Amino acid sequence: SSDEQILSLDTQKEHYESIKDKNGCVIEDGVLIRYYTEDKELTIPDNVTIIGSAVIVTELEDIDKLTIPGSVKRLEKSAFNETPIRHIVMEEGVEEIGEYAFADSYYKEIHIPESVNDIGEFAFRCSEGNHEGKIYVKKGSYAEEYFSQYDGDYYGAEVIVEE
């Protein structure tokens, strides 16, 4: 029944809150499941290899900066969907960005490294357009090729190719 589902979600939430580490992270087998934070600048811990879905739990209106180290290989579907992060830096080593990963995040800047070799559908799409947004990709990279399939209006954001 739906009551049981609601109960299990609440129980799950309490469980996560009870096992989070001192930085507010819930990490299981290298997967970041939740990140409880009120910090404006976040760095994903080095022991994370996969970022799960809907990771950030915060009361903040927006987060200034998120750094994703190269030890993270994959961002799951909807990892930061509707999470207002202004500047996102993915370091060399990150490989996969799941669908809707940054959808409706209304970012100002995202840096995608050359190591990324898979980007899911709508990963960076903001439904109302994101005309302030800039996505930085490396020349000759998979990310450059990925964005070249779409015209600029599709993402609203501007794609900037760096040497």
Side-chain angles (χ1 to χ4, degrees), residues 59-126:
E59 297 297 314
L60 291 174
E61 290 294 312
D62 56 44
I63 291 164
D64 291 336
K65 185 175 181 192
L66 170 68
T67 303
I68 301 174
S71 47
V72 171
K73 297 303 167 206
R74 187 167 88 233
L75 282 66
E76 294 283 12
K77 176 179 179 174
S78 305
F80 300 102
N81 183 11
E82 295 183 9
T83 307
I85 305 171
R86 299 297 154 233
H87 299 89
I88 297 146
V89 177
M90 282 178 246
E91 295 179 349
E92 200 58 44
V94 176
E95 293 171 7
E96 294 175 48
I97 301 170
E99 54 192 16
Y100 301 100
F102 295 98
D104 294 331
S105 294
Y106 296 98
Y107 46 83
K108 288 204 168 90
E109 227 175 73
I110 292 188
H111 295 264
I112 303 175
E114 255 179 302
S115 53
V116 168
N117 56 32
D118 188 33
I119 299 175
E121 207 177 3
F122 308 123
F124 301 96
R125 191 165 187 196
C126 294

Side-chain angles (χ1 to χ4, degrees), residues 15 34 44 127 148:
H15 171 66
R34 289 287 178 275
I44 300 298
S127 50
S148 71

Side-chain angles (χ1 to χ4, degrees), residues 24-86:
C25 295
V26 178
I27 301 167
E28 288 180 354
D29 297 328
V31 181
L32 179 63
I33 297 171
R34 289 287 178 275
Y35 195 152
Y36 295 89
T37 185
E38 298 308 320
D39 290 340
K40 298 288 267 182
E41 293 204 4
L42 305 179
T43 298
I44 300 298
D46 286 344
N47 59 337
V48 171
T49 53
I50 295 171
I51 296 176
S53 298
V55 159
I56 305 278
V57 181
T58 186
E59 297 297 314
L60 291 174
E61 290 294 312
D62 56 44
I63 291 164
D64 291 336
K65 185 175 181 192
L66 170 68
T67 303
I68 301 174
S71 47
V72 171
K73 297 303 167 206
R74 187 167 88 233
L75 282 66
E76 294 283 12
K77 176 179 179 174
S78 305
F80 300 102
N81 183 11
E82 295 183 9
T83 307
I85 305 171
R86 299 297 154 233

